[in-house]
Amino acid sequence: IIYQEARRSGKPVFCIVDDTLSSHTKPSSQALHPMEAACFHQSHLKKKQDYGHQTVAVMLSCNKIPLNYAIILYDKSKSKIEIVQNIADELPTSPVKSYFLCDCWYSSSKIMEHFIPLVH
């Protein structure tokens, strides 16, 4: 849908990447209904370890049309950098100029190497 809109409008595609932590109030061992795959993650907002689910999200946008492309549960089996690299490898080449938007956590050369072939 986003690439069709880019072809139709000639507007750029924005690939937006970020992660977030969904905190839980109790560890699974104390919860009445435990949450699967929750664990401790570093919370930059709380400046300490926090219990919950962390996700990496990728959104594509063109001409003010946003689309959630992927939401990946981060389970520490691979790094967030590797998760974003894998998503970049799945994306087709954009039909128009594209931009990769991220915070400083994702501004690594390893990620950029995966996105550069996708943009004009």
Side-chain angles (χ1 to χ4, degrees), residues 88-111:
D89 292 343
E90 295 173 5
L91 290 170
T93 301
S94 177
V96 296
K97 186 178 242 181
S98 299
Y99 297 93
F100 176 70
L101 305 173
C102 63
D103 60 19
C104 62
W105 178 259
Y106 296 100
S107 61
S108 81
S109 61
K110 291 179 181 180
I111 288 180

PDB file of all heavy atoms in Angstrom, residues 88-111:
ATOM      1  N   ALA A  88      15.019  -4.727   7.247  1.00  0.00           N
ATOM      2  CA  ALA A  88      15.514  -3.999   6.072  1.00  0.00           C
ATOM      3  C   ALA A  88      15.725  -4.949   4.900  1.00  0.00           C
ATOM      4  O   ALA A  88      15.422  -4.608   3.755  1.00  0.00           O
ATOM      5  CB  ALA A  88      16.808  -3.267   6.402  1.00  0.00           C
ATOM      6  N   ASP A  89      16.226  -6.145   5.189  1.00  0.00           N
ATOM      7  CA  ASP A  89      16.462  -7.125   4.129  1.00  0.00           C
ATOM      8  C   ASP A  89      15.161  -7.606   3.490  1.00  0.00           C
ATOM      9  O   ASP A  89      15.151  -8.048   2.346  1.00  0.00           O
ATOM     10  CB  ASP A  89      17.251  -8.316   4.672  1.00  0.00           C
ATOM     11  CG  ASP A  89      18.677  -7.935   5.041  1.00  0.00           C
ATOM     12  OD1 ASP A  89      19.166  -6.879   4.592  1.00  0.00           O
ATOM     13  OD2 ASP A  89      19.296  -8.714   5.798  1.00  0.00           O
ATOM     14  N   GLU A  90      14.041  -7.521   4.218  1.00  0.00           N
ATOM     15  CA  GLU A  90      12.735  -7.941   3.694  1.00  0.00           C
ATOM     16  C   GLU A  90      12.080  -6.870   2.822  1.00  0.00           C
ATOM     17  O   GLU A  90      11.248  -7.189   1.981  1.00  0.00           O
ATOM     18  CB  GLU A  90      11.765  -8.235   4.847  1.00  0.00           C
ATOM     19  CG  GLU A  90      12.129  -9.394   5.716  1.00  0.00           C
ATOM     20  CD  GLU A  90      11.200  -9.507   6.921  1.00  0.00           C
ATOM     21  OE1 GLU A  90      10.213  -8.739   7.021  1.00  0.00           O
ATOM     22  OE2 GLU A  90      11.471 -10.358   7.770  1.00  0.00           O
ATOM     23  N   LEU A  91      12.413  -5.614   3.057  1.00  0.00           N
ATOM     24  CA  LEU A  91      11.747  -4.523   2.343  1.00  0.00           C
ATOM     25  C   LEU A  91      12.168  -4.469   0.877  1.00  0.00           C
ATOM     26  O   LEU A  91      13.343  -4.623   0.560  1.00  0.00           O
ATOM     27  CB  LEU A  91      12.081  -3.177   3.001  1.00  0.00           C
ATOM     28  CG  LEU A  91      11.469  -2.913   4.366  1.00  0.00           C
ATOM     29  CD1 LEU A  91      12.085  -1.656   4.976  1.00  0.00           C
ATOM     30  CD2 LEU A  91       9.963  -2.766   4.259  1.00  0.00           C
ATOM     31  N   PRO A  92      11.221  -4.224  -0.023  1.00  0.00           N
ATOM     32  CA  PRO A  92      11.599  -4.032  -1.421  1.00  0.00           C
ATOM     33  C   PRO A  92      12.249  -2.664  -1.615  1.00  0.00           C
ATOM     34  O   PRO A  92      12.134  -1.783  -0.767  1.00  0.00           O
ATOM     35  CB  PRO A  92      10.252  -4.102  -2.155  1.00  0.00           C
ATOM     36  CG  PRO A  92       9.228  -3.767  -1.136  1.00  0.00           C
ATOM     37  CD  PRO A  92       9.781  -4.179   0.194  1.00  0.00           C
ATOM     38  N   THR A  93      12.913  -2.476  -2.737  1.00  0.00           N
ATOM     39  CA  THR A  93      13.495  -1.185  -3.064  1.00  0.00           C
ATOM     40  C   THR A  93      12.374  -0.178  -3.289  1.00  0.00           C
ATOM     41  O   THR A  93      11.401  -0.467  -3.979  1.00  0.00           O
ATOM     42  CB  THR A  93      14.366  -1.294  -4.333  1.00  0.00           C
ATOM     43  OG1 THR A  93      15.385  -2.260  -4.084  1.00  0.00           O
ATOM     44  CG2 THR A  93      15.000   0.027  -4.688  1.00  0.00           C
ATOM     45  N   SER A  94      12.528   0.981  -2.705  1.00  0.00           N
ATOM     46  CA  SER A  94      11.501   2.014  -2.822  1.00  0.00           C
ATOM     47  C   SER A  94      11.462   2.575  -4.239  1.00  0.00           C
ATOM     48  O   SER A  94      12.505   2.797  -4.843  1.00  0.00           O
ATOM     49  CB  SER A  94      11.797   3.135  -1.826  1.00  0.00           C
ATOM     50  OG  SER A  94      10.856   4.165  -1.979  1.00  0.00           O
ATOM     51  N   PRO A  95      10.254   2.854  -4.749  1.00  0.00           N
ATOM     52  CA  PRO A  95      10.145   3.418  -6.103  1.00  0.00           C
ATOM     53  C   PRO A  95      10.508   4.911  -6.151  1.00  0.00           C
ATOM     54  O   PRO A  95      10.658   5.468  -7.234  1.00  0.00           O
ATOM     55  CB  PRO A  95       8.670   3.204  -6.453  1.00  0.00           C
ATOM     56  CG  PRO A  95       7.975   3.169  -5.138  1.00  0.00           C
ATOM     57  CD  PRO A  95       8.950   2.563  -4.169  1.00  0.00           C
ATOM     58  N   VAL A  96      10.633   5.546  -4.997  1.00  0.00           N
ATOM     59  CA  VAL A  96      10.966   6.981  -4.917  1.00  0.00           C
ATOM     60  C   VAL A  96      11.992   7.188  -3.807  1.00  0.00           C
ATOM     61  O   VAL A  96      12.367   6.251  -3.109  1.00  0.00           O
ATOM     62  CB  VAL A  96       9.701   7.835  -4.625  1.00  0.00           C
ATOM     63  CG1 VAL A  96       8.691   7.738  -5.752  1.00  0.00           C
ATOM     64  CG2 VAL A  96       9.073   7.417  -3.310  1.00  0.00           C
ATOM     65  N   LYS A  97      12.400   8.425  -3.638  1.00  0.00           N
ATOM     66  CA  LYS A  97      13.330   8.764  -2.561  1.00  0.00           C
ATOM     67  C   LYS A  97      12.754   8.305  -1.224  1.00  0.00           C
ATOM     68  O   LYS A  97      11.557   8.444  -0.972  1.00  0.00           O
ATOM     69  CB  LYS A  97      13.549  10.268  -2.541  1.00  0.00           C
ATOM     70  CG  LYS A  97      14.598  10.717  -1.568  1.00  0.00           C
ATOM     71  CD  LYS A  97      14.789  12.216  -1.643  1.00  0.00           C
ATOM     72  CE  LYS A  97      16.202  12.461  -2.062  1.00  0.00           C
ATOM     73  NZ  LYS A  97      16.532  13.872  -2.164  1.00  0.00           N
ATOM     74  N   SER A  98      13.618   7.760  -0.368  1.00  0.00           N
ATOM     75  CA  SER A  98      13.176   7.251   0.924  1.00  0.00           C
ATOM     76  C   SER A  98      14.061   7.777   2.036  1.00  0.00           C
ATOM     77  O   SER A  98      15.217   8.141   1.806  1.00  0.00           O
ATOM     78  CB  SER A  98      13.229   5.720   0.939  1.00  0.00           C
ATOM     79  OG  SER A  98      12.381   5.191  -0.035  1.00  0.00           O
ATOM     80  N   TYR A  99      13.514   7.766   3.233  1.00  0.00           N
ATOM     81  CA  TYR A  99      14.237   8.214   4.411  1.00  0.00           C
ATOM     82  C   TYR A  99      14.092   7.188   5.525  1.00  0.00           C
ATOM     83  O   TYR A  99      13.021   6.605   5.701  1.00  0.00           O
ATOM     84  CB  TYR A  99      13.696   9.566   4.896  1.00  0.00           C
ATOM     85  CG  TYR A  99      13.887  10.668   3.909  1.00  0.00           C
ATOM     86  CD1 TYR A  99      12.890  10.978   2.989  1.00  0.00           C
ATOM     87  CD2 TYR A  99      15.062  11.408   3.881  1.00  0.00           C
ATOM     88  CE1 TYR A  99      13.054  11.997   2.072  1.00  0.00           C
ATOM     89  CE2 TYR A  99      15.243  12.426   2.954  1.00  0.00           C
ATOM     90  CZ  TYR A  99      14.239  12.711   2.068  1.00  0.00           C
ATOM     91  OH  TYR A  99      14.409  13.711   1.152  1.00  0.00           O
ATOM     92  N   PHE A 100      15.163   7.002   6.258  1.00  0.00           N
ATOM     93  CA  PHE A 100      15.174   6.118   7.424  1.00  0.00           C
ATOM     94  C   PHE A 100      15.214   7.018   8.655  1.00  0.00           C
ATOM     95  O   PHE A 100      16.143   7.808   8.815  1.00  0.00           O
ATOM     96  CB  PHE A 100      16.401   5.201   7.368  1.00  0.00           C
ATOM     97  CG  PHE A 100      16.548   4.307   8.570  1.00  0.00           C
ATOM     98  CD1 PHE A 100      15.676   3.264   8.788  1.00  0.00           C
ATOM     99  CD2 PHE A 100      17.577   4.521   9.481  1.00  0.00           C
ATOM    100  CE1 PHE A 100      15.813   2.433   9.889  1.00  0.00           C
ATOM    101  CE2 PHE A 100      17.729   3.699  10.582  1.00  0.00           C
ATOM    102  CZ  PHE A 100      16.847   2.657  10.792  1.00  0.00           C
ATOM    103  N   LEU A 101      14.195   6.937   9.500  1.00  0.00           N
ATOM    104  CA  LEU A 101      14.106   7.783  10.687  1.00  0.00           C
ATOM    105  C   LEU A 101      14.248   6.929  11.943  1.00  0.00           C
ATOM    106  O   LEU A 101      13.553   5.912  12.083  1.00  0.00           O
ATOM    107  CB  LEU A 101      12.765   8.523  10.718  1.00  0.00           C
ATOM    108  CG  LEU A 101      12.430   9.348   9.481  1.00  0.00           C
ATOM    109  CD1 LEU A 101      11.009   9.886   9.564  1.00  0.00           C
ATOM    110  CD2 LEU A 101      13.413  10.463   9.294  1.00  0.00           C
ATOM    111  N   CYS A 102      15.156   7.346  12.819  1.00  0.00           N
ATOM    112  CA  CYS A 102      15.388   6.562  14.031  1.00  0.00           C
ATOM    113  C   CYS A 102      16.032   7.452  15.087  1.00  0.00           C
ATOM    114  O   CYS A 102      16.498   8.543  14.787  1.00  0.00           O
ATOM    115  CB  CYS A 102      16.289   5.378  13.740  1.00  0.00           C
ATOM    116  SG  CYS A 102      17.941   5.847  13.188  1.00  0.00           S
ATOM    117  N   ASP A 103      16.065   6.963  16.321  1.00  0.00           N
ATOM    118  CA  ASP A 103      16.826   7.678  17.337  1.00  0.00           C
ATOM    119  C   ASP A 103      18.268   7.186  17.300  1.00  0.00           C
ATOM    120  O   ASP A 103      18.627   6.331  16.484  1.00  0.00           O
ATOM    121  CB  ASP A 103      16.186   7.530  18.725  1.00  0.00           C
ATOM    122  CG  ASP A 103      16.094   6.093  19.208  1.00  0.00           C
ATOM    123  OD1 ASP A 103      16.815   5.219  18.685  1.00  0.00           O
ATOM    124  OD2 ASP A 103      15.315   5.836  20.131  1.00  0.00           O
ATOM    125  N   CYS A 104      19.101   7.719  18.165  1.00  0.00           N
ATOM    126  CA  CYS A 104      20.543   7.435  18.093  1.00  0.00           C
ATOM    127  C   CYS A 104      20.878   5.955  18.322  1.00  0.00           C
ATOM    128  O   CYS A 104      21.925   5.486  17.892  1.00  0.00           O
ATOM    129  CB  CYS A 104      21.305   8.317  19.066  1.00  0.00           C
ATOM    130  SG  CYS A 104      20.883   8.061  20.788  1.00  0.00           S
ATOM    131  N   TRP A 105      19.991   5.206  18.974  1.00  0.00           N
ATOM    132  CA  TRP A 105      20.258   3.790  19.223  1.00  0.00           C
ATOM    133  C   TRP A 105      20.403   3.016  17.910  1.00  0.00           C
ATOM    134  O   TRP A 105      21.162   2.068  17.811  1.00  0.00           O
ATOM    135  CB  TRP A 105      19.132   3.193  20.060  1.00  0.00           C
ATOM    136  CG  TRP A 105      19.304   1.743  20.328  1.00  0.00           C
ATOM    137  CD1 TRP A 105      18.682   0.704  19.686  1.00  0.00           C
ATOM    138  CD2 TRP A 105      20.189   1.132  21.268  1.00  0.00           C
ATOM    139  NE1 TRP A 105      19.107  -0.491  20.178  1.00  0.00           N
ATOM    140  CE2 TRP A 105      20.043  -0.258  21.164  1.00  0.00           C
ATOM    141  CE3 TRP A 105      21.093   1.628  22.201  1.00  0.00           C
ATOM    142  CZ2 TRP A 105      20.754  -1.158  21.930  1.00  0.00           C
ATOM    143  CZ3 TRP A 105      21.795   0.720  22.976  1.00  0.00           C
ATOM    144  CH2 TRP A 105      21.618  -0.651  22.838  1.00  0.00           C
ATOM    145  N   TYR A 106      19.678   3.405  16.885  1.00  0.00           N
ATOM    146  CA  TYR A 106      19.665   2.675  15.615  1.00  0.00           C
ATOM    147  C   TYR A 106      20.527   3.315  14.529  1.00  0.00           C
ATOM    148  O   TYR A 106      20.485   2.889  13.383  1.00  0.00           O
ATOM    149  CB  TYR A 106      18.223   2.526  15.121  1.00  0.00           C
ATOM    150  CG  TYR A 106      17.401   1.681  16.051  1.00  0.00           C
ATOM    151  CD1 TYR A 106      16.541   2.264  16.971  1.00  0.00           C
ATOM    152  CD2 TYR A 106      17.514   0.302  16.039  1.00  0.00           C
ATOM    153  CE1 TYR A 106      15.804   1.486  17.845  1.00  0.00           C
ATOM    154  CE2 TYR A 106      16.786  -0.484  16.908  1.00  0.00           C
ATOM    155  CZ  TYR A 106      15.934   0.120  17.807  1.00  0.00           C
ATOM    156  OH  TYR A 106      15.221  -0.651  18.676  1.00  0.00           O
ATOM    157  N   SER A 107      21.285   4.318  14.853  1.00  0.00           N
ATOM    158  CA  SER A 107      22.091   4.994  13.834  1.00  0.00           C
ATOM    159  C   SER A 107      23.476   4.354  13.718  1.00  0.00           C
ATOM    160  O   SER A 107      24.490   5.016  13.783  1.00  0.00           O
ATOM    161  CB  SER A 107      22.205   6.480  14.155  1.00  0.00           C
ATOM    162  OG  SER A 107      22.837   6.650  15.406  1.00  0.00           O
ATOM    163  N   SER A 108      23.488   3.067  13.517  1.00  0.00           N
ATOM    164  CA  SER A 108      24.764   2.347  13.380  1.00  0.00           C
ATOM    165  C   SER A 108      25.047   2.059  11.904  1.00  0.00           C
ATOM    166  O   SER A 108      24.131   1.945  11.084  1.00  0.00           O
ATOM    167  CB  SER A 108      24.726   1.031  14.167  1.00  0.00           C
ATOM    168  OG  SER A 108      24.055   0.040  13.436  1.00  0.00           O
ATOM    169  N   SER A 109      26.317   1.926  11.591  1.00  0.00           N
ATOM    170  CA  SER A 109      26.693   1.632  10.208  1.00  0.00           C
ATOM    171  C   SER A 109      26.153   0.263   9.780  1.00  0.00           C
ATOM    172  O   SER A 109      25.845   0.065   8.605  1.00  0.00           O
ATOM    173  CB  SER A 109      28.208   1.682  10.049  1.00  0.00           C
ATOM    174  OG  SER A 109      28.832   0.725  10.879  1.00  0.00           O
ATOM    175  N   LYS A 110      26.021  -0.672  10.723  1.00  0.00           N
ATOM    176  CA  LYS A 110      25.486  -2.001  10.383  1.00  0.00           C
ATOM    177  C   LYS A 110      24.064  -1.898   9.838  1.00  0.00           C
ATOM    178  O   LYS A 110      23.713  -2.597   8.891  1.00  0.00           O
ATOM    179  CB  LYS A 110      25.498  -2.907  11.616  1.00  0.00           C
ATOM    180  CG  LYS A 110      26.879  -3.305  12.066  1.00  0.00           C
ATOM    181  CD  LYS A 110      26.799  -4.166  13.299  1.00  0.00           C
ATOM    182  CE  LYS A 110      28.184  -4.556  13.779  1.00  0.00           C
ATOM    183  NZ  LYS A 110      28.134  -5.389  14.977  1.00  0.00           N
ATOM    184  N   ILE A 111      23.246  -1.031  10.433  1.00  0.00           N
ATOM    185  CA  ILE A 111      21.878  -0.854   9.947  1.00  0.00           C
ATOM    186  C   ILE A 111      21.880  -0.081   8.633  1.00  0.00           C
ATOM    187  O   ILE A 111      21.186  -0.442   7.684  1.00  0.00           O
ATOM    188  CB  ILE A 111      21.003  -0.151  11.003  1.00  0.00           C
ATOM    189  CG1 ILE A 111      20.723  -1.105  12.157  1.00  0.00           C
ATOM    190  CG2 ILE A 111      19.696   0.335  10.384  1.00  0.00           C
ATOM    191  CD1 ILE A 111      19.887  -0.532  13.257  1.00  0.00           C
TER     192      ILE A 111
END
